[in-house]
Amino acid sequence: MNIKDIYTSTSNFLKVDDLAGHRVVVEIASYEVKEVGEEHKKQIVLTFKGKEKVLGLNKTNAEQIAQLTGTGDPNEWLGCKIKLKPAMTSFQGKDTPCIRISDEFFEAAPSRYVAYPAVGAPDDDDAVPF
């Protein structure tokens, strides 16, 4: 038995304990901007394909996804696959477990792949601009 079995959360928000020590690949299905906490701070909340719980993004995780996707527009994140990992962070002077977005894995949404038409070779090497 574990105290986590007794004091379970009914929250719809993903917690580091939900990862059970594993790194998990998820596909971003949708997002919304919500006001959270007593200070009513705005936060991006992600939903994942085939998952019940949502992930509220802190600034660090939002910036990591923006870096991986090449855009700060959450609409462009839809369909992208990211890896969630358990980690530690300093919070109020204490080391605290948290969820981070791994830079080990990223897969762009299929709609983000660009198909370029085949281009024939130039007739003359001098036509190449470099």
Side-chain angles (χ1 to χ4, degrees):
M1 180 175 284
N2 188 311
I3 62 170
K4 293 175 184 171
D5 298 331
I6 298 168
Y7 300 101
T8 59
S9 171
T10 58
S11 171
N12 193 40
F13 281 85
L14 190 62
K15 306 270 190 273
V16 71
D17 291 338
D18 295 324
L19 298 180
H22 298 279
R23 294 167 185 248
V24 180
V25 174
V26 292
E27 181 178 332
I28 300 171
S30 65
Y31 80 94
E32 61 181 306
V33 177
K34 289 187 173 184
E35 290 186 6
V36 296
E38 294 175 10
E39 298 172 7
H40 300 286
K41 287 186 174 182
K42 287 185 180 181
Q43 184 179 67
I44 297 170
V45 178
L46 299 179
T47 62
F48 303 111
K49 184 176 180 182
K51 305 291 183 188
E52 293 179 18
K53 293 200 172 187
V54 300
L55 179 64
L57 296 181
N58 59 20
K59 186 175 180 181
T60 299
N61 285 339
E63 288 176 345
Q64 177 69 359
I65 295 173
Q67 181 178 350
L68 290 169
T69 60
T71 179
D73 181 356
N75 287 307
E76 297 292 323
W77 303 351
L78 304 180
C80 293
K81 292 182 182 178
I82 57 174
K83 185 182 281 188
L84 307 177
K85 66 178 184 177
M88 297 295 286
T89 190
S90 180
F91 180 71
Q92 297 180 344
K94 293 182 178 181
D95 285 340
T96 305
C98 66
I99 296 174
R100 289 287 184 240
I101 310 303
S102 175
D103 59 0
E104 299 171 347
F105 177 86
F106 167 71
E107 185 178 306
S111 63
R112 297 230 21 224
Y113 293 115
V114 178
Y116 292 99
V119 177
D123 295 335
D124 176 20
D125 285 342
D126 292 334
V128 179
F130 57 89

